Amino acid sequence: MKLRYIFLAVEIVIMMFFLLPVFSNILNPGNIAGMFISAVLILITVFWNKFKELCENMFKHTGGKIVIISVSVIVAAGIIYAAVLTGLMINACVKSPENSQAVVVLGCKVKGDSPSRMLRRRLDAAAEFLSEHEDVFCIVSGGKGDDEQISEAQAMQTYLVQKGISEERIIMEDQSVSTYENLENSCRILKEMGITGDIAIVTDGFHQYRAGFIADRFGYDTSAINSVTDFYNATMTPTYYVREWMAITNEYLKCLKR
């Protein structure tokens, strides 16, 4: 019984991590899926005896056995798949730049004409790196959303200039509306400039693997410059990781179709 209470407490905490972003007006497939799965686990734990009895009764019949075994296999495969993706994501975000010839900063939400909190953290990391490597130039990539006054690229350029980075070192790519287009357009600019070596991507750690996976398809090896994680962002990590699992899977499926 005590073990059940421990499981229930853990599941409620997990649910809270996925629920917290809602209070910051963040509702995406990541926390929707997380809240749904957490709710299912909580219900199973609360009604464990009835759930156990239901499974035992189903297992007495061939159809029930097939359902239980199939669901168990799917759940186990899903857990393994998520664990593998997480390992790839962690490995990608620890690849520090060594001989990167350029930096590509991936865009994020702009509020009015100012970078959002998440985008500012990316830009602060970019500014620090560029200040320490004065021979490296930067591409800021991001178009203008319907609810934004200026393009993400323009907001990023202005912010970096205010941080002391010379405007001459910053190239704006302001047409993209997705991570894929960020990298497609930025890599095209790099090729036009004759840059074929490694590039460093500035984004959040959870985003690095997918960004690198896309850049690799355009012929570029990548390293990671991760935005600085603060307490607020740490509480959002479960939501963004689950959302990223879905986004990575979508990129895999796109590759299969091409």
Side-chain angles (χ1 to χ4, degrees), residues 105-128 152 155-156 158-160 162-163 202-204 226-230 232:
V105 188
L106 301 186
C108 190
K109 183 73 175 177
V110 169
K111 295 184 177 181
D113 59 358
S114 301
S116 62
R117 181 173 186 152
M118 179 174 282
L119 185 52
R120 287 199 307 271
R121 292 189 298 101
R122 294 182 185 182
L123 292 168
D124 288 340
E128 182 178 352
E152 294 168 4
M156 288 190 280
T158 299
Y159 189 90
L160 288 174
Q162 291 173 347
K163 283 284 185 176
V202 183
T203 187
D204 291 86
N226 302 309
S227 60
V228 179
T229 299
D230 54 20
Y232 173 82

PDB file of all heavy atoms in Angstrom, residues 105-128 152 155-156 158-160 162-163 202-204 226-230 232:
ATOM      1  N   VAL A 105      22.077  30.930 -35.358  1.00  0.00           N
ATOM      2  CA  VAL A 105      21.171  31.070 -34.216  1.00  0.00           C
ATOM      3  C   VAL A 105      19.753  30.816 -34.702  1.00  0.00           C
ATOM      4  O   VAL A 105      19.255  31.524 -35.586  1.00  0.00           O
ATOM      5  CB  VAL A 105      21.257  32.477 -33.588  1.00  0.00           C
ATOM      6  CG1 VAL A 105      20.444  32.524 -32.294  1.00  0.00           C
ATOM      7  CG2 VAL A 105      22.697  32.872 -33.328  1.00  0.00           C
ATOM      8  N   LEU A 106      19.107  29.808 -34.145  1.00  0.00           N
ATOM      9  CA  LEU A 106      17.753  29.461 -34.561  1.00  0.00           C
ATOM     10  C   LEU A 106      16.735  30.349 -33.855  1.00  0.00           C
ATOM     11  O   LEU A 106      16.814  30.570 -32.647  1.00  0.00           O
ATOM     12  CB  LEU A 106      17.463  27.989 -34.266  1.00  0.00           C
ATOM     13  CG  LEU A 106      18.408  26.983 -34.939  1.00  0.00           C
ATOM     14  CD1 LEU A 106      17.919  25.568 -34.682  1.00  0.00           C
ATOM     15  CD2 LEU A 106      18.507  27.243 -36.442  1.00  0.00           C
ATOM     16  N   GLY A 107      15.779  30.830 -34.625  1.00  0.00           N
ATOM     17  CA  GLY A 107      14.800  31.766 -34.098  1.00  0.00           C
ATOM     18  C   GLY A 107      13.803  31.137 -33.146  1.00  0.00           C
ATOM     19  O   GLY A 107      13.672  29.914 -33.032  1.00  0.00           O
ATOM     20  N   CYS A 108      13.091  32.003 -32.465  1.00  0.00           N
ATOM     21  CA  CYS A 108      12.052  31.607 -31.525  1.00  0.00           C
ATOM     22  C   CYS A 108      11.106  32.800 -31.406  1.00  0.00           C
ATOM     23  O   CYS A 108      11.305  33.834 -32.028  1.00  0.00           O
ATOM     24  CB  CYS A 108      12.689  31.244 -30.184  1.00  0.00           C
ATOM     25  SG  CYS A 108      11.555  30.465 -29.022  1.00  0.00           S
ATOM     26  N   LYS A 109      10.107  32.648 -30.607  1.00  0.00           N
ATOM     27  CA  LYS A 109       9.049  33.660 -30.496  1.00  0.00           C
ATOM     28  C   LYS A 109       9.582  35.061 -30.206  1.00  0.00           C
ATOM     29  O   LYS A 109      10.486  35.247 -29.394  1.00  0.00           O
ATOM     30  CB  LYS A 109       8.102  33.247 -29.363  1.00  0.00           C
ATOM     31  CG  LYS A 109       6.905  34.151 -29.162  1.00  0.00           C
ATOM     32  CD  LYS A 109       5.896  33.958 -30.253  1.00  0.00           C
ATOM     33  CE  LYS A 109       4.634  34.770 -29.987  1.00  0.00           C
ATOM     34  NZ  LYS A 109       3.662  34.645 -31.089  1.00  0.00           N
ATOM     35  N   VAL A 110       9.010  36.038 -30.924  1.00  0.00           N
ATOM     36  CA  VAL A 110       9.281  37.447 -30.664  1.00  0.00           C
ATOM     37  C   VAL A 110       7.997  38.078 -30.137  1.00  0.00           C
ATOM     38  O   VAL A 110       6.912  37.880 -30.710  1.00  0.00           O
ATOM     39  CB  VAL A 110       9.728  38.182 -31.949  1.00  0.00           C
ATOM     40  CG1 VAL A 110       9.743  39.687 -31.734  1.00  0.00           C
ATOM     41  CG2 VAL A 110      11.109  37.700 -32.373  1.00  0.00           C
ATOM     42  N   LYS A 111       8.107  38.801 -29.044  1.00  0.00           N
ATOM     43  CA  LYS A 111       6.949  39.482 -28.456  1.00  0.00           C
ATOM     44  C   LYS A 111       6.993  40.951 -28.849  1.00  0.00           C
ATOM     45  O   LYS A 111       7.828  41.697 -28.337  1.00  0.00           O
ATOM     46  CB  LYS A 111       6.954  39.316 -26.943  1.00  0.00           C
ATOM     47  CG  LYS A 111       6.770  37.868 -26.499  1.00  0.00           C
ATOM     48  CD  LYS A 111       6.684  37.746 -24.991  1.00  0.00           C
ATOM     49  CE  LYS A 111       6.422  36.292 -24.581  1.00  0.00           C
ATOM     50  NZ  LYS A 111       6.320  36.151 -23.102  1.00  0.00           N
ATOM     51  N   GLY A 112       6.115  41.325 -29.761  1.00  0.00           N
ATOM     52  CA  GLY A 112       6.167  42.690 -30.283  1.00  0.00           C
ATOM     53  C   GLY A 112       7.387  42.838 -31.156  1.00  0.00           C
ATOM     54  O   GLY A 112       7.489  42.247 -32.216  1.00  0.00           O
ATOM     55  N   ASP A 113       8.358  43.617 -30.670  1.00  0.00           N
ATOM     56  CA  ASP A 113       9.624  43.753 -31.399  1.00  0.00           C
ATOM     57  C   ASP A 113      10.809  43.321 -30.547  1.00  0.00           C
ATOM     58  O   ASP A 113      11.956  43.644 -30.857  1.00  0.00           O
ATOM     59  CB  ASP A 113       9.816  45.200 -31.872  1.00  0.00           C
ATOM     60  CG  ASP A 113       9.821  46.195 -30.707  1.00  0.00           C
ATOM     61  OD1 ASP A 113       9.635  45.754 -29.547  1.00  0.00           O
ATOM     62  OD2 ASP A 113      10.010  47.391 -30.954  1.00  0.00           O
ATOM     63  N   SER A 114      10.524  42.558 -29.478  1.00  0.00           N
ATOM     64  CA  SER A 114      11.584  42.118 -28.566  1.00  0.00           C
ATOM     65  C   SER A 114      11.645  40.597 -28.493  1.00  0.00           C
ATOM     66  O   SER A 114      10.601  39.925 -28.562  1.00  0.00           O
ATOM     67  CB  SER A 114      11.349  42.681 -27.164  1.00  0.00           C
ATOM     68  OG  SER A 114      11.322  44.095 -27.181  1.00  0.00           O
ATOM     69  N   PRO A 115      12.832  40.021 -28.346  1.00  0.00           N
ATOM     70  CA  PRO A 115      12.952  38.568 -28.228  1.00  0.00           C
ATOM     71  C   PRO A 115      12.233  38.054 -26.984  1.00  0.00           C
ATOM     72  O   PRO A 115      12.224  38.707 -25.944  1.00  0.00           O
ATOM     73  CB  PRO A 115      14.469  38.342 -28.108  1.00  0.00           C
ATOM     74  CG  PRO A 115      15.089  39.580 -28.657  1.00  0.00           C
ATOM     75  CD  PRO A 115      14.150  40.689 -28.329  1.00  0.00           C
ATOM     76  N   SER A 116      11.616  36.895 -27.107  1.00  0.00           N
ATOM     77  CA  SER A 116      10.992  36.260 -25.955  1.00  0.00           C
ATOM     78  C   SER A 116      12.070  35.783 -24.982  1.00  0.00           C
ATOM     79  O   SER A 116      13.268  35.816 -25.290  1.00  0.00           O
ATOM     80  CB  SER A 116      10.154  35.066 -26.405  1.00  0.00           C
ATOM     81  OG  SER A 116      10.992  34.095 -27.026  1.00  0.00           O
ATOM     82  N   ARG A 117      11.643  35.338 -23.827  1.00  0.00           N
ATOM     83  CA  ARG A 117      12.586  34.869 -22.811  1.00  0.00           C
ATOM     84  C   ARG A 117      13.468  33.747 -23.352  1.00  0.00           C
ATOM     85  O   ARG A 117      14.678  33.748 -23.158  1.00  0.00           O
ATOM     86  CB  ARG A 117      11.809  34.385 -21.583  1.00  0.00           C
ATOM     87  CG  ARG A 117      12.668  33.901 -20.439  1.00  0.00           C
ATOM     88  CD  ARG A 117      11.805  33.600 -19.224  1.00  0.00           C
ATOM     89  NE  ARG A 117      12.619  33.268 -18.066  1.00  0.00           N
ATOM     90  CZ  ARG A 117      12.245  33.468 -16.810  1.00  0.00           C
ATOM     91  NH1 ARG A 117      11.088  34.033 -16.557  1.00  0.00           N
ATOM     92  NH2 ARG A 117      13.023  33.125 -15.810  1.00  0.00           N
ATOM     93  N   MET A 118      12.850  32.792 -24.042  1.00  0.00           N
ATOM     94  CA  MET A 118      13.617  31.669 -24.583  1.00  0.00           C
ATOM     95  C   MET A 118      14.612  32.144 -25.633  1.00  0.00           C
ATOM     96  O   MET A 118      15.766  31.689 -25.668  1.00  0.00           O
ATOM     97  CB  MET A 118      12.674  30.630 -25.187  1.00  0.00           C
ATOM     98  CG  MET A 118      13.383  29.428 -25.804  1.00  0.00           C
ATOM     99  SD  MET A 118      12.249  28.134 -26.370  1.00  0.00           S
ATOM    100  CE  MET A 118      11.845  27.356 -24.808  1.00  0.00           C
ATOM    101  N   LEU A 119      14.202  33.071 -26.486  1.00  0.00           N
ATOM    102  CA  LEU A 119      15.095  33.569 -27.531  1.00  0.00           C
ATOM    103  C   LEU A 119      16.228  34.395 -26.937  1.00  0.00           C
ATOM    104  O   LEU A 119      17.373  34.325 -27.417  1.00  0.00           O
ATOM    105  CB  LEU A 119      14.305  34.401 -28.539  1.00  0.00           C
ATOM    106  CG  LEU A 119      15.073  34.896 -29.773  1.00  0.00           C
ATOM    107  CD1 LEU A 119      15.789  33.753 -30.472  1.00  0.00           C
ATOM    108  CD2 LEU A 119      14.143  35.612 -30.734  1.00  0.00           C
ATOM    109  N   ARG A 120      15.957  35.152 -25.889  1.00  0.00           N
ATOM    110  CA  ARG A 120      17.025  35.932 -25.235  1.00  0.00           C
ATOM    111  C   ARG A 120      18.106  35.016 -24.683  1.00  0.00           C
ATOM    112  O   ARG A 120      19.295  35.338 -24.772  1.00  0.00           O
ATOM    113  CB  ARG A 120      16.451  36.793 -24.100  1.00  0.00           C
ATOM    114  CG  ARG A 120      15.654  37.992 -24.562  1.00  0.00           C
ATOM    115  CD  ARG A 120      15.517  39.026 -23.430  1.00  0.00           C
ATOM    116  NE  ARG A 120      15.000  38.452 -22.201  1.00  0.00           N
ATOM    117  CZ  ARG A 120      13.711  38.370 -21.903  1.00  0.00           C
ATOM    118  NH1 ARG A 120      12.797  38.789 -22.770  1.00  0.00           N
ATOM    119  NH2 ARG A 120      13.324  37.843 -20.749  1.00  0.00           N
ATOM    120  N   ARG A 121      17.709  33.886 -24.149  1.00  0.00           N
ATOM    121  CA  ARG A 121      18.705  32.947 -23.602  1.00  0.00           C
ATOM    122  C   ARG A 121      19.583  32.386 -24.716  1.00  0.00           C
ATOM    123  O   ARG A 121      20.783  32.188 -24.526  1.00  0.00           O
ATOM    124  CB  ARG A 121      18.018  31.823 -22.827  1.00  0.00           C
ATOM    125  CG  ARG A 121      17.360  32.297 -21.541  1.00  0.00           C
ATOM    126  CD  ARG A 121      16.858  31.149 -20.673  1.00  0.00           C
ATOM    127  NE  ARG A 121      15.842  30.361 -21.340  1.00  0.00           N
ATOM    128  CZ  ARG A 121      16.057  29.192 -21.928  1.00  0.00           C
ATOM    129  NH1 ARG A 121      17.277  28.664 -21.929  1.00  0.00           N
ATOM    130  NH2 ARG A 121      15.078  28.535 -22.511  1.00  0.00           N
ATOM    131  N   ARG A 122      19.007  32.138 -25.872  1.00  0.00           N
ATOM    132  CA  ARG A 122      19.804  31.685 -27.018  1.00  0.00           C
ATOM    133  C   ARG A 122      20.768  32.788 -27.448  1.00  0.00           C
ATOM    134  O   ARG A 122      21.953  32.526 -27.712  1.00  0.00           O
ATOM    135  CB  ARG A 122      18.881  31.316 -28.186  1.00  0.00           C
ATOM    136  CG  ARG A 122      17.989  30.124 -27.937  1.00  0.00           C
ATOM    137  CD  ARG A 122      17.144  29.783 -29.154  1.00  0.00           C
ATOM    138  NE  ARG A 122      16.201  28.714 -28.860  1.00  0.00           N
ATOM    139  CZ  ARG A 122      15.355  28.172 -29.734  1.00  0.00           C
ATOM    140  NH1 ARG A 122      15.359  28.611 -30.986  1.00  0.00           N
ATOM    141  NH2 ARG A 122      14.517  27.209 -29.384  1.00  0.00           N
ATOM    142  N   LEU A 123      20.273  34.000 -27.506  1.00  0.00           N
ATOM    143  CA  LEU A 123      21.092  35.122 -27.966  1.00  0.00           C
ATOM    144  C   LEU A 123      22.209  35.448 -26.977  1.00  0.00           C
ATOM    145  O   LEU A 123      23.314  35.824 -27.389  1.00  0.00           O
ATOM    146  CB  LEU A 123      20.210  36.348 -28.197  1.00  0.00           C
ATOM    147  CG  LEU A 123      19.231  36.218 -29.372  1.00  0.00           C
ATOM    148  CD1 LEU A 123      18.206  37.347 -29.344  1.00  0.00           C
ATOM    149  CD2 LEU A 123      19.977  36.194 -30.696  1.00  0.00           C
ATOM    150  N   ASP A 124      21.949  35.301 -25.689  1.00  0.00           N
ATOM    151  CA  ASP A 124      22.995  35.536 -24.690  1.00  0.00           C
ATOM    152  C   ASP A 124      24.132  34.534 -24.866  1.00  0.00           C
ATOM    153  O   ASP A 124      25.315  34.893 -24.764  1.00  0.00           O
ATOM    154  CB  ASP A 124      22.422  35.434 -23.273  1.00  0.00           C
ATOM    155  CG  ASP A 124      21.537  36.625 -22.913  1.00  0.00           C
ATOM    156  OD1 ASP A 124      21.663  37.675 -23.562  1.00  0.00           O
ATOM    157  OD2 ASP A 124      20.715  36.494 -21.980  1.00  0.00           O
ATOM    158  N   ALA A 125      23.772  33.278 -25.156  1.00  0.00           N
ATOM    159  CA  ALA A 125      24.796  32.253 -25.394  1.00  0.00           C
ATOM    160  C   ALA A 125      25.572  32.561 -26.670  1.00  0.00           C
ATOM    161  O   ALA A 125      26.799  32.410 -26.723  1.00  0.00           O
ATOM    162  CB  ALA A 125      24.142  30.873 -25.485  1.00  0.00           C
ATOM    163  N   ALA A 126      24.859  33.012 -27.706  1.00  0.00           N
ATOM    164  CA  ALA A 126      25.515  33.363 -28.971  1.00  0.00           C
ATOM    165  C   ALA A 126      26.454  34.545 -28.785  1.00  0.00           C
ATOM    166  O   ALA A 126      27.586  34.540 -29.292  1.00  0.00           O
ATOM    167  CB  ALA A 126      24.463  33.688 -30.034  1.00  0.00           C
ATOM    168  N   ALA A 127      25.995  35.562 -28.057  1.00  0.00           N
ATOM    169  CA  ALA A 127      26.808  36.764 -27.837  1.00  0.00           C
ATOM    170  C   ALA A 127      28.086  36.424 -27.086  1.00  0.00           C
ATOM    171  O   ALA A 127      29.170  36.936 -27.415  1.00  0.00           O
ATOM    172  CB  ALA A 127      26.001  37.807 -27.064  1.00  0.00           C
ATOM    173  N   GLU A 128      27.990  35.557 -26.105  1.00  0.00           N
ATOM    174  CA  GLU A 128      29.179  35.163 -25.337  1.00  0.00           C
ATOM    175  C   GLU A 128      30.190  34.455 -26.233  1.00  0.00           C
ATOM    176  O   GLU A 128      31.387  34.745 -26.190  1.00  0.00           O
ATOM    177  CB  GLU A 128      28.769  34.247 -24.183  1.00  0.00           C
ATOM    178  CG  GLU A 128      29.929  33.819 -23.310  1.00  0.00           C
ATOM    179  CD  GLU A 128      29.504  32.939 -22.145  1.00  0.00           C
ATOM    180  OE1 GLU A 128      28.279  32.776 -21.928  1.00  0.00           O
ATOM    181  OE2 GLU A 128      30.395  32.411 -21.450  1.00  0.00           O
ATOM    182  N   GLU A 152      11.905  37.492 -36.576  1.00  0.00           N
ATOM    183  CA  GLU A 152      12.765  37.004 -35.500  1.00  0.00           C
ATOM    184  C   GLU A 152      14.225  37.354 -35.792  1.00  0.00           C
ATOM    185  O   GLU A 152      14.982  37.707 -34.887  1.00  0.00           O
ATOM    186  CB  GLU A 152      12.575  35.492 -35.339  1.00  0.00           C
ATOM    187  CG  GLU A 152      11.181  35.118 -34.857  1.00  0.00           C
ATOM    188  CD  GLU A 152      10.890  33.635 -34.957  1.00  0.00           C
ATOM    189  OE1 GLU A 152      11.810  32.874 -35.344  1.00  0.00           O
ATOM    190  OE2 GLU A 152       9.761  33.230 -34.649  1.00  0.00           O
ATOM    191  N   ALA A 155      14.882  40.985 -34.844  1.00  0.00           N
ATOM    192  CA  ALA A 155      14.945  41.126 -33.380  1.00  0.00           C
ATOM    193  C   ALA A 155      16.260  40.572 -32.843  1.00  0.00           C
ATOM    194  O   ALA A 155      16.871  41.158 -31.937  1.00  0.00           O
ATOM    195  CB  ALA A 155      13.762  40.413 -32.735  1.00  0.00           C
ATOM    196  N   MET A 156      16.716  39.462 -33.433  1.00  0.00           N
ATOM    197  CA  MET A 156      17.968  38.850 -32.984  1.00  0.00           C
ATOM    198  C   MET A 156      19.165  39.727 -33.329  1.00  0.00           C
ATOM    199  O   MET A 156      20.082  39.908 -32.513  1.00  0.00           O
ATOM    200  CB  MET A 156      18.119  37.456 -33.596  1.00  0.00           C
ATOM    201  CG  MET A 156      17.172  36.422 -33.008  1.00  0.00           C
ATOM    202  SD  MET A 156      17.554  34.724 -33.525  1.00  0.00           S
ATOM    203  CE  MET A 156      16.811  34.701 -35.151  1.00  0.00           C
ATOM    204  N   THR A 158      19.249  42.975 -33.766  1.00  0.00           N
ATOM    205  CA  THR A 158      19.225  44.169 -32.905  1.00  0.00           C
ATOM    206  C   THR A 158      19.746  43.836 -31.510  1.00  0.00           C
ATOM    207  O   THR A 158      20.545  44.586 -30.933  1.00  0.00           O
ATOM    208  CB  THR A 158      17.787  44.717 -32.794  1.00  0.00           C
ATOM    209  OG1 THR A 158      17.332  45.076 -34.107  1.00  0.00           O
ATOM    210  CG2 THR A 158      17.737  45.944 -31.898  1.00  0.00           C
ATOM    211  N   TYR A 159      19.325  42.699 -30.980  1.00  0.00           N
ATOM    212  CA  TYR A 159      19.738  42.295 -29.634  1.00  0.00           C
ATOM    213  C   TYR A 159      21.245  42.041 -29.574  1.00  0.00           C
ATOM    214  O   TYR A 159      21.924  42.487 -28.643  1.00  0.00           O
ATOM    215  CB  TYR A 159      18.977  41.034 -29.228  1.00  0.00           C
ATOM    216  CG  TYR A 159      19.149  40.627 -27.787  1.00  0.00           C
ATOM    217  CD1 TYR A 159      18.289  41.097 -26.804  1.00  0.00           C
ATOM    218  CD2 TYR A 159      20.169  39.754 -27.400  1.00  0.00           C
ATOM    219  CE1 TYR A 159      18.431  40.716 -25.471  1.00  0.00           C
ATOM    220  CE2 TYR A 159      20.324  39.366 -26.084  1.00  0.00           C
ATOM    221  CZ  TYR A 159      19.452  39.852 -25.121  1.00  0.00           C
ATOM    222  OH  TYR A 159      19.617  39.464 -23.804  1.00  0.00           O
ATOM    223  N   LEU A 160      21.773  41.343 -30.576  1.00  0.00           N
ATOM    224  CA  LEU A 160      23.205  41.037 -30.589  1.00  0.00           C
ATOM    225  C   LEU A 160      24.050  42.302 -30.740  1.00  0.00           C
ATOM    226  O   LEU A 160      25.109  42.425 -30.118  1.00  0.00           O
ATOM    227  CB  LEU A 160      23.524  40.051 -31.714  1.00  0.00           C
ATOM    228  CG  LEU A 160      23.049  38.612 -31.503  1.00  0.00           C
ATOM    229  CD1 LEU A 160      23.306  37.764 -32.752  1.00  0.00           C
ATOM    230  CD2 LEU A 160      23.741  37.979 -30.284  1.00  0.00           C
ATOM    231  N   GLN A 162      23.217  45.215 -29.675  1.00  0.00           N
ATOM    232  CA  GLN A 162      23.161  45.852 -28.355  1.00  0.00           C
ATOM    233  C   GLN A 162      24.111  45.171 -27.373  1.00  0.00           C
ATOM    234  O   GLN A 162      24.573  45.790 -26.411  1.00  0.00           O
ATOM    235  CB  GLN A 162      21.736  45.818 -27.815  1.00  0.00           C
ATOM    236  CG  GLN A 162      20.764  46.716 -28.574  1.00  0.00           C
ATOM    237  CD  GLN A 162      19.323  46.534 -28.131  1.00  0.00           C
ATOM    238  OE1 GLN A 162      18.979  45.578 -27.432  1.00  0.00           O
ATOM    239  NE2 GLN A 162      18.463  47.453 -28.542  1.00  0.00           N
ATOM    240  N   LYS A 163      24.390  43.891 -27.623  1.00  0.00           N
ATOM    241  CA  LYS A 163      25.319  43.142 -26.774  1.00  0.00           C
ATOM    242  C   LYS A 163      26.779  43.361 -27.180  1.00  0.00           C
ATOM    243  O   LYS A 163      27.681  42.777 -26.581  1.00  0.00           O
ATOM    244  CB  LYS A 163      24.997  41.647 -26.851  1.00  0.00           C
ATOM    245  CG  LYS A 163      23.779  41.217 -26.045  1.00  0.00           C
ATOM    246  CD  LYS A 163      24.096  41.163 -24.565  1.00  0.00           C
ATOM    247  CE  LYS A 163      22.963  40.634 -23.750  1.00  0.00           C
ATOM    248  NZ  LYS A 163      23.295  40.498 -22.316  1.00  0.00           N
ATOM    249  N   VAL A 202      23.151  27.483 -32.398  1.00  0.00           N
ATOM    250  CA  VAL A 202      22.735  28.037 -31.105  1.00  0.00           C
ATOM    251  C   VAL A 202      21.237  27.815 -30.942  1.00  0.00           C
ATOM    252  O   VAL A 202      20.424  28.347 -31.711  1.00  0.00           O
ATOM    253  CB  VAL A 202      23.034  29.547 -31.007  1.00  0.00           C
ATOM    254  CG1 VAL A 202      22.661  30.061 -29.614  1.00  0.00           C
ATOM    255  CG2 VAL A 202      24.500  29.823 -31.295  1.00  0.00           C
ATOM    256  N   THR A 203      20.879  27.011 -29.972  1.00  0.00           N
ATOM    257  CA  THR A 203      19.473  26.760 -29.661  1.00  0.00           C
ATOM    258  C   THR A 203      19.419  26.119 -28.276  1.00  0.00           C
ATOM    259  O   THR A 203      20.441  25.994 -27.597  1.00  0.00           O
ATOM    260  CB  THR A 203      18.816  25.869 -30.729  1.00  0.00           C
ATOM    261  OG1 THR A 203      17.414  25.786 -30.476  1.00  0.00           O
ATOM    262  CG2 THR A 203      19.415  24.479 -30.755  1.00  0.00           C
ATOM    263  N   ASP A 204      18.252  25.694 -27.860  1.00  0.00           N
ATOM    264  CA  ASP A 204      18.143  25.002 -26.583  1.00  0.00           C
ATOM    265  C   ASP A 204      18.696  23.592 -26.700  1.00  0.00           C
ATOM    266  O   ASP A 204      18.638  22.979 -27.781  1.00  0.00           O
ATOM    267  CB  ASP A 204      16.679  24.944 -26.147  1.00  0.00           C
ATOM    268  CG  ASP A 204      16.146  26.316 -25.773  1.00  0.00           C
ATOM    269  OD1 ASP A 204      15.696  27.047 -26.670  1.00  0.00           O
ATOM    270  OD2 ASP A 204      16.198  26.656 -24.577  1.00  0.00           O
ATOM    271  N   ASN A 226      24.571  25.834 -26.444  1.00  0.00           N
ATOM    272  CA  ASN A 226      23.266  25.720 -25.803  1.00  0.00           C
ATOM    273  C   ASN A 226      22.886  26.991 -25.048  1.00  0.00           C
ATOM    274  O   ASN A 226      23.734  27.615 -24.411  1.00  0.00           O
ATOM    275  CB  ASN A 226      23.261  24.547 -24.818  1.00  0.00           C
ATOM    276  CG  ASN A 226      23.612  23.241 -25.494  1.00  0.00           C
ATOM    277  OD1 ASN A 226      23.041  22.885 -26.514  1.00  0.00           O
ATOM    278  ND2 ASN A 226      24.575  22.527 -24.929  1.00  0.00           N
ATOM    279  N   SER A 227      21.618  27.355 -25.142  1.00  0.00           N
ATOM    280  CA  SER A 227      21.144  28.485 -24.347  1.00  0.00           C
ATOM    281  C   SER A 227      21.256  28.131 -22.869  1.00  0.00           C
ATOM    282  O   SER A 227      21.163  26.963 -22.480  1.00  0.00           O
ATOM    283  CB  SER A 227      19.686  28.797 -24.700  1.00  0.00           C
ATOM    284  OG  SER A 227      18.861  27.677 -24.439  1.00  0.00           O
ATOM    285  N   VAL A 228      21.489  29.137 -22.068  1.00  0.00           N
ATOM    286  CA  VAL A 228      21.668  28.920 -20.631  1.00  0.00           C
ATOM    287  C   VAL A 228      20.332  28.537 -20.001  1.00  0.00           C
ATOM    288  O   VAL A 228      19.310  29.179 -20.244  1.00  0.00           O
ATOM    289  CB  VAL A 228      22.218  30.187 -19.942  1.00  0.00           C
ATOM    290  CG1 VAL A 228      22.379  29.962 -18.452  1.00  0.00           C
ATOM    291  CG2 VAL A 228      23.548  30.586 -20.575  1.00  0.00           C
ATOM    292  N   THR A 229      20.334  27.472 -19.218  1.00  0.00           N
ATOM    293  CA  THR A 229      19.103  27.006 -18.578  1.00  0.00           C
ATOM    294  C   THR A 229      18.921  27.679 -17.232  1.00  0.00           C
ATOM    295  O   THR A 229      19.813  27.658 -16.385  1.00  0.00           O
ATOM    296  CB  THR A 229      19.146  25.479 -18.382  1.00  0.00           C
ATOM    297  OG1 THR A 229      19.268  24.844 -19.656  1.00  0.00           O
ATOM    298  CG2 THR A 229      17.877  24.989 -17.708  1.00  0.00           C
ATOM    299  N   ASP A 230      17.765  28.295 -17.038  1.00  0.00           N
ATOM    300  CA  ASP A 230      17.435  28.855 -15.734  1.00  0.00           C
ATOM    301  C   ASP A 230      16.339  27.999 -15.105  1.00  0.00           C
ATOM    302  O   ASP A 230      15.870  27.027 -15.685  1.00  0.00           O
ATOM    303  CB  ASP A 230      16.986  30.319 -15.850  1.00  0.00           C
ATOM    304  CG  ASP A 230      15.838  30.507 -16.828  1.00  0.00           C
ATOM    305  OD1 ASP A 230      15.140  29.506 -17.130  1.00  0.00           O
ATOM    306  OD2 ASP A 230      15.626  31.634 -17.297  1.00  0.00           O
ATOM    307  N   TYR A 232      13.208  28.561 -14.533  1.00  0.00           N
ATOM    308  CA  TYR A 232      11.953  28.584 -15.293  1.00  0.00           C
ATOM    309  C   TYR A 232      12.021  27.595 -16.446  1.00  0.00           C
ATOM    310  O   TYR A 232      11.100  26.807 -16.665  1.00  0.00           O
ATOM    311  CB  TYR A 232      11.694  29.999 -15.815  1.00  0.00           C
ATOM    312  CG  TYR A 232      10.519  30.103 -16.748  1.00  0.00           C
ATOM    313  CD1 TYR A 232       9.227  30.208 -16.254  1.00  0.00           C
ATOM    314  CD2 TYR A 232      10.708  30.108 -18.134  1.00  0.00           C
ATOM    315  CE1 TYR A 232       8.140  30.304 -17.118  1.00  0.00           C
ATOM    316  CE2 TYR A 232       9.632  30.207 -18.993  1.00  0.00           C
ATOM    317  CZ  TYR A 232       8.350  30.304 -18.481  1.00  0.00           C
ATOM    318  OH  TYR A 232       7.284  30.389 -19.340  1.00  0.00           O
TER     319      TYR A 232
END
